[in-house]
């Protein structure tokens, strides 16, 4: 369901919140003219970080969605926060719902929503939890799978960190990559609106998601973003969305290319990776030999002074070679941990 025949991204777009029938109708009219937009998002219950804000129009908004869905032949989706929202969505013909970031972080709430979903054929989108814990994200997906939900997709909307790297929610692309490694069949959409928090960042984030071969996007759209009752800074106008979609890289072009230069560079990378692995195997062989020597000399496997000197040396080299120090540090830590593990195994202590 999340990829069309032409391998185009599956786009869900619409307002952060339904604010009036006129606003919903204006977005709907505009979105049905955008071929890439397959579904309209529209928040009806809004879990707000601070009290006193607009919390959504609830059932009234669902009634408008049903009327407009019949009039314009479009499909809507919305967030469910409590179990009773599931049956309300069902009553008003909503067949796709999403679980928000604050809910995914709470297994009890996910379980309650699961109970309400049991036996229905709804499609469920699961946003990442607010904290960067891939296991919580996977846990929510597994809970849904267990009660029989078969149509699902993950939505990457960024993580709430002390330092959000200039975004509203730090993207931490690696966390989403980890989910994709663990659940390769699960479609994944990017929500650049909640990652960016500013309209000016949305296009570049969407672009990046396409280069990473995401299956689609969920983007917030408002006819007059400045007047929006929620998330005013990050919503795009329909015209801005059209411009963004027209300049997106085509994901199908990123895997199978016909450019010979690209093929050559890929061969070069394959070759370099083989060499890297060969060197790593050689390094681990030396570790194995060191283990027996240390054993004979009655030395402990882990030598903090030596490790500290090695790391400083590698980081200085990294700087000379213009490699990012965080990256080299993490890589060296991984290699060292494996080396210690091998030495423990070979010293009769592991
Ligand atoms: C939303 O999509 O409007 C929303 C509140 O999302 P999130 O759960 O990602 O904060
Ligand atoms: Mn929003």
């Amino acid at each position: 369901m999340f990829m069309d025949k032409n391998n185009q991204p599956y786009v869900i777009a619409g307002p952060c919140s339904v604010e009036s029938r006129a606003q919903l109708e204006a977005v709907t009219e505009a979105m049905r003219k955008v071929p890439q937009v397959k579904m309209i998002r529209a928040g009806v219950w809004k879990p707000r970080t601070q009290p006193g804000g607009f919390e959504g129009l609830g059932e009234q908004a669902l009634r408008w969605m049903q009327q407009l869905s019949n009039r314009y032949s479009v499909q809507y989706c919305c967030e469910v926060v409590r179990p009773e929202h599931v049956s309300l969505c069902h009553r008003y013909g909503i067949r796709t719902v999403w679980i928000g970031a604050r809910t995914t972080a709470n297994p009890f709430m996910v379980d309650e929503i699961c109970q309400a979903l049991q036996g229905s054929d709804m499609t469920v989108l699961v946003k990442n939890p607010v904290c960067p814990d891939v296991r919580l994200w996977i846990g929510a997906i597994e809970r849904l799978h267990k009660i029989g939900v078969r149509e699902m997709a993950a939505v990457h909307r960024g993580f709430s960190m002390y330092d959000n790297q200039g975004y509203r929610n730090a993207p931490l692309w690696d966390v989403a990559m980890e989910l994709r490694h663990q659940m390769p069949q699960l479609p994944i959409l990017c929500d650049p609106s909640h990652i960016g928090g500013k309209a000016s960042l949305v296009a570049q984030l969407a672009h990046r998601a396409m280069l990473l071969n995401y299956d689609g996007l969920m983007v917030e759209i408002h006819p007059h973003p400045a007047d929006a009752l929620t998330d005013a800074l990050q919503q795009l106008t329909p015209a801005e969305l059209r411009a963004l979609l027209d300049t997106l890289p085509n994901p199908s072009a990123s895997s199978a290319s016909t450019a010979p230069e690209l093929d050559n560079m890929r061969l070069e990378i394959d070759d370099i990776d083989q060499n890297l692995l060969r060197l790593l195997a050689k390094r681990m062989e030396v570790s194995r030999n060191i283990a027996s020597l240390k054993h004979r000399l009655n030395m402990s496997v882990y030598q903090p002074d030596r490790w500290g000197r090695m790391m400083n040396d590698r980081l200085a080299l990294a700087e000379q070679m213009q490699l990012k120090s965080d990256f080299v540090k993490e890589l060296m830590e991984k290699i060292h941990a494996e080396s210690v593990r091998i030495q423990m195994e070979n010293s009769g202590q592991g």
Side-chain angles (χ1 to χ4, degrees):
M1 146 187 195
F2 290 100
M3 195 56 92
D4 72 9
K5 297 186 283 305
N6 305 318
N7 211 18
Q8 288 297 311
Y10 187 96
V11 180
I12 300 176
C16 178
S17 310
V18 177
E19 299 168 359
S20 66
R21 191 186 149 120
Q23 171 241 20
L24 185 64
E25 188 156 4
V27 176
T28 305
E29 272 193 340
M31 289 305 103
R32 62 193 283 273
K33 295 189 195 124
V34 184
Q36 295 96 324
V37 174
K38 303 293 185 302
M39 195 178 289
I40 298 178
R41 59 150 287 151
V44 163
W45 298 283
K46 304 302 300 177
R48 306 308 303 279
T49 304
Q50 257 110 33
F54 175 66
E55 291 187 339
L57 297 177
E59 194 168 350
Q60 175 62 67
L62 292 177
R63 218 170 274 129
W64 296 330
M65 283 152 84
Q66 186 169 45
Q67 291 160 3
L68 295 172
S69 154
N70 292 335
R71 175 176 310 168
Y72 292 103
S73 305
V74 293
Q75 285 185 62
Y76 292 97
C77 60
C78 76
E79 175 176 354
V80 286
V81 187
R82 296 181 190 284
E84 56 270 28
H85 296 162
V86 173
S87 49
L88 277 167
C89 283
H90 211 266
R91 187 175 315 153
Y92 291 97
I94 306 283
R95 289 284 172 270
T96 303
V97 295
W98 79 82
I99 296 188
R102 291 158 195 77
T103 308
T104 309
N106 182 338
F108 275 156
M109 286 306 298
V110 174
D111 266 341
E112 285 186 16
I113 292 173
C114 281
Q115 278 162 29
L117 280 164
Q118 203 148 21
S120 83
D121 57 356
M122 284 193 176
T123 297
V124 184
L125 313 176
V126 185
K127 290 209 175 191
N128 66 253
V130 277
C131 53
D133 184 342
V134 77
R135 287 169 314 158
L136 264 179
W137 199 358
I138 291 175
I141 295 160
E142 283 175 351
R143 281 170 208 273
L144 288 158
H145 194 262
K146 247 171 128 172
I147 57 106
V149 175
R150 288 297 168 262
E151 289 272 17
M152 273 193 272
V155 181
H156 173 207
R157 52 76 79 195
F159 302 88
S160 188
M161 307 289 287
Y162 181 67
D163 174 6
N164 280 335
Q165 307 164 0
Y167 298 100
R168 179 179 178 193
N169 290 291
L172 307 184
W173 298 96
D174 290 351
V175 179
M177 285 299 177
E178 181 58 30
L179 175 90
R180 295 171 77 186
H181 279 137
Q182 295 202 32
M183 305 192 130
Q185 306 304 330
L186 184 74
I188 182 161
L189 313 181
C190 178
D191 172 347
S193 307
H194 288 90
I195 296 178
K198 286 196 229 29
S200 60
L201 294 175
V202 172
Q204 69 191 61
L205 288 161
H207 191 101
R208 179 148 188 184
M210 286 305 108
L211 291 178
L212 292 172
N213 227 339
Y214 277 51
D215 299 280
L217 301 169
M218 181 192 260
V219 188
E220 287 192 341
I221 306 298
H222 195 284
H224 308 286
D227 302 333
L229 298 181
T230 54
D231 291 352
L233 297 178
Q234 71 196 30
Q235 304 205 54
L236 302 186
T237 62
E240 285 167 337
L241 177 73
R242 278 195 300 270
L244 179 161
L245 294 175
D246 286 346
T247 55
L248 272 189
N250 179 357
S252 57
S254 61
S255 64
S257 154
T258 48
E261 279 154 276
L262 182 59
D263 291 341
N264 284 339
M265 287 182 194
R266 283 183 168 156
L267 285 173
E268 202 178 338
I269 285 199
D270 289 348
D271 195 42
I272 292 172
D273 282 356
Q274 280 174 19
N275 283 325
L276 281 174
L277 290 178
R278 223 171 272 130
L279 284 173
L280 275 175
K282 202 163 156 190
R283 195 190 189 288
M284 296 310 160
E285 186 55 40
V286 177
S287 295
R288 223 166 268 126
N289 296 336
I290 281 188
S292 26
L293 188 58
K294 280 183 180 166
H295 189 52
R296 256 187 284 129
L297 297 173
N298 204 18
M299 277 172 75
S300 50
V301 162
Y302 178 52
Q303 300 282 334
D305 291 352
R306 156 89 179 136
W307 168 229
R309 285 194 304 278
M310 274 172 68
M311 184 59 110
N312 288 340
D313 175 75
R314 305 313 185 251
L315 291 177
L317 269 176
E319 203 181 328
Q320 278 172 31
M321 296 179 180
Q322 289 174 0
L323 285 165
K324 231 175 143 216
S325 64
D326 284 358
F327 162 66
V328 172
K329 184 163 182 282
E330 211 174 305
L331 184 67
M332 287 311 304
E333 278 166 356
K334 282 240 155 70
I335 292 175
H336 183 249
E338 177 62 2
S339 170
V340 168
R341 190 192 64 77
I342 287 178
Q343 291 186 48
M344 295 295 280
E345 244 178 41
N346 289 277
S347 65
Q349 298 169 48

